[in-house]
Amino acid sequence: MAGAFRTLLRHRQTDPADRSWLFVPYDQLSGDLGPLAREDPAALGIVLVESPWKAARRPYHRQKLALVLANLRHFALEQAERGVAVRHVVAAGPYGPALEPLARELGRDRPLRVMEPAERELRQDLAPLIQGGLLELIPHEGWLTSTDQFQRSQKKAPPWRMDAFYRLVRRETGLLMDGNKPAGGKFSFDADNRKPWKGKPPAPEPPSFPRDPVKEEVADLIESRFQRHPGTLDLERLPATRKDAETLWRWARRECLPTFGPYEDAMSTRSPGLFHTRLAPLLNLHRILPRQVVEETAALDIPLASKEGFVRQVLGWREFVRHVHRATDGFRDFPGDGPGVARRPGDGGWGRWQGKRWLPGKAGSREPDGGAEPSFLGAHRPLPAAFWGEESGLACLDRVVAEVWDTGYGHHITRLMILSNIATLLDVSPRELTDWFWVAYADAYDWVVEPNVLGMGTFAAGDLMTTKPYISGAAYINRMSDFCGTCHYDPRKDCPLTPLYWAFLGRHRERLSDNPRLRLPLASLARRSRARRAEDARAFEALAKSLASKPVS
């Protein structure tokens, strides 16, 4: 019996004869990009591939799987409604082998085309088809900046620096510029956007989205075929149609962006997202276009600090990390001794948490590797089971982890200054933490998660793209959140994060001694008594042992 999606698609299908065909990857789901934006729908056909094999390679959050599948299916229906012919394929293995017979069948007159995939993993999968002439690679039109702009922005590279890239792009696009000068007299208002949130103005409640037969069918599929996967699946919080995307963007413009700037670094138990837009999952699928959100934000009548802070995230950081990822071949290639590469995709500690291995189906000859394993500081410890929901006793960590497994979401400061910070202080393996982020977050793909975790969150790549490790003790978390108020540790007296911070500097002071941004902390460390430093080291070992010994579920 045909399901809801296939029935709806069949009713909207048009004659597929005499078409030129385009393979649309899972993260290019827009009719406003590439050939779909310019060519006659009646002369176009698209190929869409669902790969349960890829979905099973890692223990991806159920909400993430549902997000990708529901958006892909609704995109298929939207394009069929326009008159585009649709070939929807469910593949038993990787994308390349699934596309090869289709490329031969549909590419008799003109090769099957594809906009260059954003993910390295997919580019590697498709490389044999491209090299064999069965698949024609065309530029990805979803990016806002070029490789040339990235290269010209860096005087000496690597290391690469986002601020230089962002300034060049602002000048060349004219966004938030008054002639040759930045609006408001400076390019970044980051220093102004560091206020803790005390409850006012009220944080907005995220929108909910209508259920429909396609979403419900996807949810049934997730529950039946991917029942081992972690996380909560919530259809009410699942934007999947073009209308859903527009609803989310209207809500973000109205409820979030006017107050986004001052509180973008704040954290709270009362509102996991505060004034963050929650657009990243849809931006990374191109259900909302980055160009649209940047241009429309620049035109809003809102405080400049909020406007610039959001533009910097999308036009600056998001574009910057994808350039770094591409330039380093996914952190495999940069100055110094090249890092190792994991043989197979990691599970982010799922196996230890469950007490059994994650065993996806066999991939055959095109099985992807597990990604680069840089570790500038030599960190190698396993990720604690607390990241999978075991109680750690640290209210900040336990709260953020619970929110992630409940929603597949968390804003950038909880990712950086709670999860990555604590893992870094514990000398957790950067690769394992990266894999955890990859499976846990709905917006995580290799080009974005690896720079954010390997490059920034753990300093695993050294100063390649950031100037220092982003670490802190309890004082920062207490200042920027209300987490400490619900914790049995006192941030001023006995929170272990503070001795962990000093112990981290003590263990790695030789490796970090030439970092100019750490001169003051290292000078403070030198004034710390030998006894205090010994206490710090014992606190580190005690907490690391305690977290490592939590029982599996």
Side-chain angles (χ1 to χ4, degrees):
M1 182 182 294
F5 165 65
R6 290 200 175 276
T7 299
L8 289 167
L9 183 60
R10 185 175 66 249
H11 289 160
R12 299 183 191 188
Q13 282 283 29
T14 49
D15 186 355
D18 300 320
R19 307 262 182 161
S20 64
W21 289 83
L22 178 75
F23 166 53
V24 180
Y26 44 82
D27 57 358
Q28 296 179 9
L29 305 180
S30 174
D32 298 321
L33 293 175
L36 284 170
R38 293 186 295 273
E39 298 179 17
D40 181 2
L44 267 177
I46 59 173
V47 176
L48 296 167
V49 178
E50 292 183 14
S51 174
W53 168 83
K54 181 178 175 69
R57 296 309 297 156
R58 299 175 177 88
Y60 293 111
H61 197 299
R62 293 183 185 196
Q63 190 79 355
K64 179 176 187 173
L65 295 179
L67 180 84
V68 174
L69 287 174
N71 274 278
L72 184 142
R73 293 185 179 193
H74 270 294
F75 173 75
L77 296 174
E78 292 159 8
Q79 294 309 304
E81 188 73 31
R82 293 179 60 214
V84 176
V86 177
R87 289 286 291 269
H88 174 265
V89 177
V90 178
Y95 289 84
L99 284 171
E100 185 170 350
L102 288 169
R104 295 186 186 280
E105 173 196 345
L106 301 173
R108 295 191 189 98
D109 299 320
R110 181 179 182 180
L112 180 65
R113 292 174 289 171
V114 61
M115 287 199 299
E116 183 180 56
E119 281 211 288
R120 181 191 186 276
E121 194 168 273
L122 183 56
R123 292 197 299 271
Q124 295 298 109
D125 189 348
L126 301 180
L129 296 186
I130 295 168
Q131 293 162 4
L134 290 174
L135 195 58
E136 178 186 339
L137 200 63
I138 61 178
H140 189 326
E141 298 179 16
W143 302 116
L144 303 179
T145 62
S146 67
T147 300
D148 176 66
Q149 287 176 309
F150 175 66
Q151 292 173 342
R152 286 190 289 109
S153 71
Q154 309 295 313
K155 293 181 180 178
K156 290 175 61 180
W160 294 288
R161 295 293 177 255
M162 195 279 284
D163 57 347
F165 168 71
Y166 178 55
R167 289 194 300 269
L168 180 140
V169 173
R170 285 271 300 277
R171 289 189 178 102
E172 294 190 351
T173 61
L175 275 165
L176 302 183
M177 297 293 291
D178 290 331
N180 294 324
K181 296 182 179 181
K186 52 186 177 180
F187 282 100
S188 172
F189 289 83
D190 189 43
D192 302 328
N193 290 350
R194 296 174 181 169
K195 293 182 179 179
W197 182 70
K198 303 296 186 182
K200 293 184 179 180
E205 179 66 23
S208 58
F209 305 97
R211 300 169 72 100
D212 61 52
V214 172
K215 294 181 186 180
E216 290 172 349
E217 188 172 63
V218 165
D220 291 342
L221 174 64
I222 300 299
E223 296 298 337
S224 62
R225 183 158 189 170
F226 301 101
Q227 68 271 18
R228 291 198 309 154
H229 287 247
T232 301
L233 171 54
D234 183 358
L235 288 184
E236 307 298 326
R237 301 297 186 192
L238 186 71
T241 67
R242 185 170 183 133
K243 185 176 181 180
D244 290 345
E246 292 167 351
T247 296
L248 181 62
W249 178 222
R250 282 196 302 272
W251 170 83
R253 294 198 308 269
R254 182 182 66 251
E255 303 291 342
C256 298
L257 289 180
T259 322
F260 169 75
Y263 304 107
E264 67 175 294
D265 285 4
M267 300 172 283
S268 177
T269 60
R270 290 171 285 177
S271 173
L274 287 173
F275 304 97
H276 289 259
T277 64
R278 297 165 177 81
L279 288 175
L282 294 185
L283 281 175
N284 292 350
L285 293 177
H286 288 89
R287 294 299 270 162
I288 301 175
L289 294 187
R291 185 171 304 280
Q292 176 189 354
V293 302
V294 165
E295 291 176 351
E296 292 185 7
T297 298
L300 289 175
D301 183 17
I302 61 175
L304 182 57
S306 290
K307 187 182 300 190
E308 186 279 320
F310 182 76
V311 167
R312 179 162 23 90
Q313 286 198 352
V314 181
L315 182 65
W317 187 253
R318 183 177 184 272
E319 292 283 318
F320 175 71
V321 298
R322 77 97 175 180
H323 284 301
V324 170
H325 195 261
R326 189 62 188 269
T328 60
D329 191 27
F331 289 87
R332 290 161 171 82
D333 180 20
F334 55 86
D337 296 332
V341 177
R343 293 181 60 187
R344 59 181 295 157
D347 65 7
W350 183 94
R352 285 192 310 279
W353 172 60
Q354 286 285 348
K356 56 187 176 182
R357 291 182 62 194
W358 181 261
L359 292 173
K362 293 182 179 179
S365 61
R366 293 191 182 178
E367 181 169 351
D369 63 44
E373 299 180 300
S375 187
F376 176 76
L377 298 173
H380 64 277
R381 292 181 182 237
L383 190 73
F387 281 71
W388 291 95
E390 297 289 347
E391 291 289 328
S392 72
L394 296 167
C396 55
L397 177 61
D398 294 341
R399 180 78 183 208
V400 171
V401 166
E403 290 166 354
V404 171
W405 288 120
D406 186 44
T407 66
Y409 170 78
H411 70 71
H412 69 277
I413 294 298
T414 59
R415 301 188 201 205
L416 180 65
M417 299 309 299
I418 302 296
L419 300 173
S420 295
N421 175 40
I422 292 173
T424 300
L425 295 179
L426 290 170
D427 281 349
V428 164
S429 159
R431 181 71 249 173
E432 188 157 281
L433 181 67
T434 300
D435 292 333
W436 184 87
F437 270 84
W438 199 342
V439 304
Y441 282 94
D443 57 10
Y445 300 91
D446 61 12
W447 64 269
V448 63
V449 73
E450 289 180 338
N452 274 300
V453 183
L454 295 175
M456 187 179 192
T458 63
F459 206 59
D463 69 351
L464 184 75
M465 57 176 282
T466 55
T467 57
K468 69 179 182 72
Y470 282 82
I471 53 171
S472 78
Y476 174 87
I477 295 170
N478 188 41
R479 182 170 70 252
M480 295 304 299
S481 79
D482 57 10
F483 293 145
C484 299
T486 62
C487 191
H488 69 265
Y489 291 116
D490 187 324
R492 296 178 179 84
K493 296 179 180 178
D494 61 354
C495 177
L497 294 186
T498 298
L500 252 61
Y501 170 82
W502 292 112
F504 174 89
L505 291 177
R507 289 192 309 280
H508 301 298
R509 64 183 181 276
E510 185 173 337
R511 197 81 168 105
L512 298 170
S513 61
D514 61 351
N515 188 309
R517 295 195 65 188
L518 292 179
R519 284 176 186 153
L520 288 177
L522 290 175
S524 296
L525 175 71
R527 293 192 295 271
R528 207 164 171 84
S529 71
R530 182 176 298 180
R532 291 291 297 278
R533 281 182 281 169
E535 289 176 11
D536 297 336
R538 285 194 294 271
F540 162 70
E541 292 294 347
L543 184 60
K545 182 178 180 180
S546 170
L547 294 178
S549 65
K550 293 294 182 182
V552 295
S553 298

